[in-house]
Amino acid sequence: MLVANDPHRATRHTGTYTVFLNSHGRVLNDAFLYPLPEADASASEDPAWLIEVDRNEVASLMKHLKKHKLRAKLKLRALDDGERTVWASWKEHTEPRWAAYNLESAASSPFSPSSSIAGCVDIRAPGFGSRIITPGAEDLRTHLPDETQVAGSRVDLGSYTVRRILHGVAEGQMEIIREVALPLECNMDMTRGIDFRKGCYVGQELTIRTHHTGVVRKRILPVQLYTDGQGIPVSADTPAYNPAVTLPLPPSGSNISKVSARRGRSAGKFLGGVGNIGLALCRLEMMTDISLTGEGTQYTPEQEFKVSWAGAEAGPSDSQEPGEVKIKAIVPSWTREFISSGGARNASQRGGQEGHRARDLVEQLEEEEEARRKY
């Protein structure tokens, strides 16, 4: 397998978050992998899959897949524009049937077996919502008119982007930099993009070695952007987004450094943002109060960090003026809990808890079905 997650786990009939790595364990593409809906499957019993990836990376991923194609019967095809549409829903993530279905229980799919819709719970952050793949370019309500399945109204992509940044979720190769980013630094252990019980996959050696013997000293975190006159933001679990505040955004990959400090070790790299919030790869023991080894950290609450850039960093066009903003790393509560509890090394214990949760949800579904039959 080329992906670091296992799409064949148990009774999985839903999509899953995963990652493609190169031989050095660096990220090529973050992706969602979905079984092809039965309505679109051919008469053949061979499994078929849909891969959702950054649209700017389709050609690169196809080249990577073809390089590893070992079976003559394996067919690869990039979908045409408008052939499928990706939706993010954050109204139905607590709906019991969907949640139980995603936890690999015996519960049925929330969609008809003859449906052409694929989907999954987006587990990259707690309560982040659902991912839905519909055929064609029609509006979601064309396929799911019943609001008991997916409630809410349609919003623009910017609303999704803001929500994603507030949850600390990086996406695509503008933020998860191709052949540079490491999966554990991108929180893919926390988001279960990697199955550490899975067999061989490209890039496994470095990933497993880091998981068992190393320390993940840098992670992607949400950050608060501010200026000199605003003062250090109050610590919180999430940044405070203010749509009325517009700050110049540093180019992706810009170094983060301490304010009023001589040139020294970089504290991290800015990845992208909107308004006064963003995502950055942060050295945990320098930019946050998290201690990884018990030997103390370099962090002090009064220490401020900044990102400075020259116009030339913006690209050949030099369209961006030189600038500087201050930056504060925010540690979401679930990230802090994951790190303090030992990370993915304690996944077996958490897996048991999730199994109990799935069974509870299935029992709830059965009770609801029984109540409906009575009335």
Side-chain angles (χ1 to χ4, degrees):
M1 288 291 291
L2 298 179
V3 293
N5 211 337
D6 188 353
H8 296 292
R9 282 280 310 282
T11 59
R12 183 182 294 281
H13 298 293
T14 181
T16 184
Y17 180 61
T18 188
V19 60
F20 292 88
L21 305 175
N22 65 13
S23 59
H24 301 291
R26 304 278 176 172
V27 175
L28 293 177
N29 298 101
D30 57 315
F32 282 89
L33 188 63
Y34 309 89
L36 188 68
E38 292 181 15
D40 298 323
S42 63
S44 171
E45 295 183 357
D46 293 332
W49 305 87
L50 293 172
I51 302 174
E52 179 199 337
V53 69
D54 185 338
R55 68 179 302 160
N56 296 322
E57 295 292 324
V58 172
S60 298
L61 180 58
M62 286 291 289
K63 182 178 179 180
H64 174 69
L65 294 176
K66 289 178 180 178
K67 182 172 65 175
H68 292 276
K69 179 180 175 181
L70 301 178
R71 293 180 59 190
K73 292 184 179 180
L74 177 64
K75 297 179 181 179
L76 300 170
R77 181 175 71 87
L79 299 185
D80 298 326
D81 286 344
E83 191 171 346
R84 299 270 173 175
T85 303
V86 180
W87 303 89
S89 168
W90 51 88
K91 287 290 185 179
E92 286 296 297
H93 60 266
T94 56
E95 204 277 328
R97 180 178 296 279
W98 184 266
Y101 174 57
N102 191 66
L103 288 171
E104 301 179 7
S105 71
S108 60
S109 164
F111 305 124
S112 165
S114 60
S115 172
S116 295
I117 300 173
C120 67
V121 171
D122 192 338
I123 57 174
R124 292 177 294 174
F128 193 55
S130 304
R131 210 83 172 173
I132 302 171
I133 309 296
T134 58
E138 296 87 0
D139 187 80
L140 181 64
R141 291 297 172 211
T142 303
H143 303 280
L144 295 171
D146 187 355
E147 290 205 9
T148 60
Q149 289 181 295
V150 179
S153 57
R154 182 172 177 174
V155 297
D156 59 23
L157 182 61
S159 298
Y160 166 76
T161 302
V162 168
R163 188 170 187 274
R164 181 172 61 77
I165 292 174
L166 291 174
H167 282 74
V169 175
E171 183 176 279
Q173 276 45 78
M174 289 295 292
E175 296 171 352
I176 302 175
I177 301 174
R178 182 181 176 87
E179 297 185 296
V180 173
L182 291 168
L184 303 191
E185 292 182 349
C186 298
N187 301 320
M188 290 177 181
D189 50 349
M190 183 173 68
T191 59
R192 286 180 281 176
I194 298 173
D195 187 343
F196 293 103
R197 297 166 294 177
K198 182 180 180 292
C200 295
Y201 56 87
V202 176
Q204 181 189 31
E205 183 178 351
L206 177 63
T207 305
I208 292 297
R209 185 167 67 245
T210 303
H211 168 64
H212 287 293
T213 64
V215 176
V216 183
R217 298 189 179 277
K218 294 181 288 184
R219 285 188 181 270
I220 293 178
L221 297 175
V223 294
Q224 187 79 60
L225 304 178
Y226 64 104
T227 58
D228 282 329
Q230 295 176 304
I232 302 177
V234 178
S235 295
D237 289 340
T238 59
Y241 175 62
N242 185 348
V245 176
T246 302
L247 297 176
L249 293 177
S252 178
S254 298
N255 284 325
I256 302 171
S257 60
K258 293 181 178 180
V259 172
S260 303
R262 295 181 178 180
R263 291 184 62 183
R265 193 179 194 184
S266 170
K269 289 187 179 296
F270 181 80
L271 301 174
V274 175
N276 66 332
I277 60 173
L279 294 171
L281 180 64
C282 304
R283 291 190 181 276
L284 297 176
E285 292 187 319
M286 186 179 293
M287 295 188 68
T288 77
D289 61 351
I290 291 177
S291 176
L292 300 172
T293 60
E295 299 177 356
T297 71
Q298 303 176 45
Y299 172 78
T300 58
E302 299 79 18
Q303 178 64 61
E304 292 185 284
F305 295 87
K306 66 179 181 180
V307 183
S308 302
W309 66 96
E313 293 184 32
S317 63
D318 291 341
S319 58
Q320 185 170 356
E321 295 293 329
E324 178 178 299
V325 293
K326 291 184 177 180
I327 186 170
K328 179 178 176 60
I330 308 294
V331 184
S333 57
W334 54 88
T335 303
R336 186 181 297 276
E337 180 181 354
F338 178 82
I339 295 172
S340 63
S341 64
R345 297 178 189 179
N346 294 330
S348 59
Q349 298 177 6
R350 288 196 297 274
Q353 295 171 357
E354 289 176 357
H356 289 303
R357 177 170 171 254
R359 286 190 289 273
D360 290 342
L361 290 169
V362 172
E363 291 175 2
Q364 180 181 341
L365 287 174
E366 292 173 348
E367 292 174 0
E368 291 175 357
E369 291 292 339
E370 182 66 25
R372 275 194 289 269
R373 282 194 293 268
K374 288 181 179 179
Y375 296 100

